[in-house]
Amino acid sequence: GLFPEHKEHARPQRSFISQSLFTFNHKCRVMLSIALDTSPYAKLLLDAMKHSGCTVYKDRHFSCEDCDGSVSGGFDAATSEIVLCQNNIHGQSHMNRVVTHELIHAFDHCRAHVDWFNNVKHLASPEIG
């Protein structure tokens, strides 16, 4: 390595970092599940999107990631994916607000574009609409 004199410190530090990242990610995914199951706003938006032909799948349309700065989340229109900033979302009420906010963006995108990733009905019959 670059700093051979630090060799004895490298391994515990690395495992601590990977452990804390795992914890961040796990906590983010748990809070996401709770938000989707319990937030009335999130449930309303998920239902509305399903009826619009844009069914949201937790594993496909949500991603818990580390983000730069103090941003809490974002919606990636190119992939129809909601990014949740696991390093900046620290509580359940915050997660609920971020999920709801990003679902509104996703719903706007769904209504404006019929090329939603899971809109199989549209793909099967492009002449409708």
Side-chain angles (χ1 to χ4, degrees):
L2 288 171
F3 305 101
E5 71 275 13
H6 293 295
K7 203 172 217 161
E8 68 276 13
H9 300 297
R11 184 172 289 131
Q13 196 179 357
R14 194 179 303 129
S15 64
F16 168 74
I17 290 167
S18 63
Q19 188 63 44
S20 65
L21 286 176
F22 168 77
T23 307
F24 261 155
N25 188 260
H26 180 73
K27 184 179 171 188
C28 176
R29 285 184 286 133
V30 168
M31 288 196 299
L32 167 62
S33 292
I34 293 169
L36 295 178
D37 289 343
T38 65
S39 164
Y41 299 111
K43 289 167 82 169
L44 189 73
L45 284 158
L46 291 172
D47 201 45
M49 289 182 70
K50 185 185 282 186
H51 287 296
S52 299
C54 301
T55 302
V56 176
Y57 297 100
K58 190 178 68 173
D59 297 335
R60 160 67 186 89
H61 294 109
F62 288 95
S63 180
C64 286
E65 298 171 15
D66 281 325
C67 304
D68 295 334
S70 59
V71 66
S72 298
F75 176 67
D76 183 350
T79 58
S80 302
E81 191 173 56
I82 289 171
V83 175
L84 301 166
C85 298
Q86 61 193 19
N87 54 325
N88 293 330
I89 300 173
H90 300 297
Q92 187 63 52
S93 60
H94 188 194
M95 173 63 82
N96 291 9
R97 287 197 304 276
V98 176
V99 166
T100 301
H101 180 84
E102 299 310 332
L103 276 172
I104 291 168
H105 288 298
F107 186 38
D108 285 341
H109 176 75
C110 161
R111 287 187 300 176
H113 301 84
V114 276
D115 61 350
W116 185 260
F117 185 83
N118 286 302
N119 197 340
V120 181
K121 203 188 309 175
H122 172 74
L123 295 175
S125 48
E127 75 279 1
I128 296 170

